[in-house]
Amino acid sequence: SPAGEGEQRALLRYAGSDTTLPVPLADPATMAATFHAEHRARFGFADTAREIVCAALETERVSGGGEPAPLGPLPATPAQPHGHRTVFLAGRWHEVPLYRREELASGQNVAGPALIVEAGSTCVLEPGWRGEMTPRGDLLLRAQDVAHRRPDAAAPDPAWLTLFNRRFMSIAEDMGRALQNTARSVNIRERLDFSCALFDRDGRLIANAPHIPVHLGSMGDAVVAIRARFAADMGAGDVYLINSPYAGGTHLPDITVVAPLFDPSGRALRYFTAARAHHADVGGISPGSMPAASRHIDEEGCLSEGLLMVRGGCFLEAEVRAWLGSSPQAARNPDQNIADLQAQVAACVLGSRLLGQLEQEVGAAAVLAYMGFVQDNAETAVRRLLGRLRGGAFTLPLDDGSHIQVRVEIDAAAGRAVIDFAGTSPQQPGNLNAPASIAHSAVLYVFRTLIDADIPLNAGVLRPLEIRLPAGSLLNPRYPAAVVAGNVETSQNIVDALFGALGLLAASQGTMNNLSFGDGRHQYYETVCGGAGAGADFPGASAVHTHMTNSRLTDPEVLELYFPVRVERFAIRRG
């Protein structure tokens, strides 16, 4: 198009990737350099040795425009207040002037504190803010002093506590959307079998999006394991993966990607972001890595106690591929694994960037302080809850003859509780063994559901709770125990046993109803919903995902589009 009348772009992507990025049309070398830089900025890594594909060319032309006409004639003389009102702002009462918006003149400035009213709404100008009426009739608000908006890091403020709770959760939710939009597998993109969360520098859970409960209570253990193993060599731009059930993992298909975030100097560790996703296949004796008959962890796929996968913004694909091929039965679709891992990296990098933006807005000291305050708030909420609960015991038998036994002892005066799983069956030869991190997740989930305050699930919930898990038991197995069903079967039964001990809720389906099939090319995994148990004053629910699972069912159309199968019938099994 003629110069100045349009913009020409190329939509580029790495070979094998589905994600395109627009770059200005130029010579190939310039476009490649721009693409690598944009990819690193957006997703946290770049691969300069990888082939780049031009998916499309586009031209954008813009016509018209210009400043819109004013909404109507504005008064020529500045408005005067219509009296004063008493308003509580910034911790004290103020006598503030009241203006009518339709009387404000073009260019008139109103300093806060003040009230500007119109038909149907009221604008509150707090101290330190100024409102200006623009020539076209817009009311433009400006903060005169940015410092006044920064919270005090020395003590929590209820309003700021609510804002930080929401902000931390929104960052985790944004991470989840980024992961969903950039992942390749149906398991992640369609079923939403993933979780994203923020952690403090010690690996304690701060906030999460409402994703998969069995992931969220255990991810902190995985972050702590990464921190302990790599602390001496950890640097800005590094990202790690881990999936060991003996180091915070659940089962091997759930791979956790962990990204540390440092201060601007790159020396002081401040936070972690993490994303856990269920991969369609990580090897093992059956496609989908969910074998029904596994008796050794090696039969379930590739295991990692921690692997550096991005170093200083460079994705270490060769090292990751080597790991995916390290199991006696290697991962069957490593290209898909790589694509999904890169999507997890992108989610973590986005979370780190959003935390950095929050630091710029309110200061790093405030962010660090409120990461502690939100945990303190959750702890206080649990202590209040314990004053209303009664303890108890429950034994829940499993299909293989083993059982879960739990006793909840509550000291309401001290605001503490002991959750003791003594008496639970020993580690089993099959794969119903649940790693300790799953029991932590179940306890965290149950007590969070009982809190009536709107707070994010975080590590503060566990502070007043002492969890006792017998070593070598069904709920705390030793290597090389098979664990693949512990995540999807036993986890549900732990929750049912806890609710039973507390006398609060009837049992759910007690399973995630796994369906898995595949071959060397296609691997599919699904959890089919069941039912939720009733409470004292409400009925149960049919055909819903419950408790430790929160994934979405794959639409039959999507299933048939991506896999060589046809769905003949999909219906609720009545009665």
Side-chain angles (χ1 to χ4, degrees):
S1 63
E5 294 187 5
E7 181 179 347
Q8 294 179 310
R9 292 182 291 264
L11 301 183
L12 306 182
R13 60 176 174 81
Y14 283 125
S17 171
D18 296 328
T19 303
T20 62
L21 295 176
V23 302
L25 192 62
D27 62 89
T30 300
M31 289 194 296
T34 303
F35 173 78
H36 290 312
E38 176 66 17
H39 200 281
R40 180 177 285 106
R42 185 173 301 190
F43 300 123
F45 65 91
D47 188 350
T48 55
R50 194 168 178 181
E51 181 183 8
I52 299 175
V53 176
C54 179
L57 296 173
E58 64 181 23
T59 297
E60 178 184 0
R61 297 190 64 182
V62 179
S63 62
E67 182 66 22
L71 301 178
L74 298 177
T77 58
Q80 297 300 314
H82 282 261
H84 289 71
R85 299 291 187 272
T86 304
V87 182
F88 190 83
L89 296 169
R92 65 184 183 89
W93 292 98
H94 297 259
E95 287 294 319
V96 305
L98 183 146
Y99 295 87
R100 294 191 184 280
R101 175 169 175 160
E102 62 270 19
E103 296 178 358
L104 296 177
S106 175
Q108 181 174 355
N109 280 274
V110 177
L115 298 176
I116 301 175
V117 300
E118 60 183 317
S121 68
T122 299
C123 176
V124 180
L125 282 177
E126 296 193 8
W129 285 79
R130 179 177 294 275
E132 178 188 350
M133 181 59 67
T134 69
R136 69 178 304 269
D138 297 318
L139 185 61
L140 180 63
L141 305 185
R142 289 192 177 95
Q144 296 172 276
D145 181 11
V146 175
H148 88 278
R149 294 187 295 151
R150 295 201 167 195
D152 182 2
D157 174 84
W160 278 107
L161 188 65
T162 299
L163 290 171
F164 271 99
N165 275 336
R166 297 292 186 184
R167 188 66 174 271
F168 289 146
M169 289 177 66
S170 72
I171 291 174
E173 289 169 352
D174 286 342
M175 291 171 62
R177 282 187 286 269
L179 176 53
Q180 179 186 2
N181 292 336
T182 55
R184 181 184 296 183
S185 68
V186 169
N187 209 48
I188 299 174
R189 191 175 65 244
E190 299 292 338
R191 287 190 56 246
L192 310 184
D193 196 346
F194 63 80
S195 297
C196 298
L198 311 180
F199 302 83
D200 66 14
R201 56 188 159 202
D202 294 318
R204 293 185 290 258
L205 176 65
I206 300 303
N208 59 270
H211 292 150
I212 310 296
V214 75
H215 292 171
L216 295 165
S218 57
M219 286 172 70
D221 293 337
V223 174
V224 169
I226 289 292
R227 188 180 189 276
R229 180 170 183 180
F230 296 99
D233 190 42
M234 195 175 284
D238 292 350
V239 184
Y240 304 84
L241 70 78
I242 184 171
N243 73 335
S244 171
Y246 314 105
T250 48
H251 56 186
L252 298 185
D254 283 342
I255 301 178
T256 305
V257 170
V258 179
L261 179 60
F262 292 80
D263 70 351
S265 72
R267 292 190 294 270
L269 178 63
R270 284 186 175 166
Y271 325 105
F272 289 95
T273 57
R276 176 173 289 178
H278 186 112
H279 285 242
D281 186 276
V282 291
I285 58 177
S286 65
S289 305
M290 295 291 294
S294 57
R295 300 174 70 86
H296 190 289
I297 192 67
D298 287 348
E299 297 177 330
E300 298 178 353
C302 306
L303 181 148
S304 175
E305 300 279 351
L307 175 69
L308 179 66
M309 60 183 295
V310 177
R311 169 62 87 183
C314 294
F315 187 76
L316 307 179
E317 183 170 339
E319 289 82 347
V320 176
R321 285 187 180 275
W323 171 67
L324 290 168
S326 63
S327 171
Q329 294 87 21
R332 295 167 177 83
N333 193 348
D335 289 343
Q336 181 169 263
N337 294 121
I338 293 290
D340 287 342
L341 286 170
Q342 290 177 339
Q344 290 175 257
V345 172
C348 290
V349 169
L350 175 62
S352 299
R353 186 162 65 245
L354 293 175
L355 278 171
Q357 291 177 6
L358 181 58
E359 282 190 350
Q360 293 175 2
E361 293 176 24
V362 300
V367 177
L368 290 168
Y370 272 85
M371 281 191 167
F373 295 152
V374 298
Q375 294 180 72
D376 296 341
N377 185 45
E379 177 184 359
T380 301
V382 173
R383 292 190 188 278
R384 286 198 305 266
L385 168 69
L386 293 175
R388 305 193 302 268
L389 296 180
R390 61 174 179 82
F394 200 85
T395 300
L396 192 152
L398 302 181
D399 291 343
D400 66 348
S402 61
H403 64 271
I404 297 170
Q405 186 168 316
V406 63
R407 176 175 294 277
V408 180
E409 299 176 352
I410 297 174
D411 184 341
R416 297 196 59 82
V418 175
I419 297 93
D420 191 351
F421 289 92
T424 294
S425 294
Q427 179 174 322
Q428 298 296 297
N431 57 24
L432 286 174
N433 303 294
S437 58
I438 289 179
H440 295 159
S441 291
V443 172
L444 180 62
Y445 165 79
V446 166
F447 280 86
R448 173 59 189 88
T449 62
L450 300 177
I451 297 173
D452 54 10
D454 185 14
I455 61 173
L457 183 111
N458 64 60
V461 172
L462 291 178
R463 287 181 185 172
L465 309 177
E466 179 185 349
I467 304 172
R468 297 176 181 173
L469 296 169
S473 69
L474 180 74
L475 306 185
N476 190 11
R478 298 186 177 96
Y479 177 87
V483 300
V484 69
N487 183 60
V488 295
E489 302 292 313
T490 310
S491 67
Q492 296 284 71
N493 288 285
I494 298 172
V495 172
D496 285 337
L498 287 167
F499 278 125
L502 294 170
L504 295 175
L505 191 68
S508 72
Q509 56 182 316
T511 174
M512 294 187 192
N513 291 319
N514 286 266
L515 169 66
S516 183
F517 62 82
D519 56 19
R521 181 179 179 186
H522 299 280
Q523 303 87 37
Y524 176 75
Y525 170 71
E526 184 81 77
T527 54
V528 183
C529 60
D537 56 357
F538 58 88
S542 297
V544 293
H545 280 288
T546 58
H547 299 324
M548 304 305 280
T549 179
N550 189 35
S551 60
R552 189 169 67 181
L553 284 167
T554 305
D555 291 333
E557 296 84 356
V558 173
L559 175 60
E560 293 180 343
L561 176 65
Y562 288 99
F563 296 92
V565 298
R566 177 163 295 172
V567 179
E568 294 185 356
R569 184 169 180 263
F570 183 81
I572 296 175
R573 184 180 174 191
R574 301 290 179 182

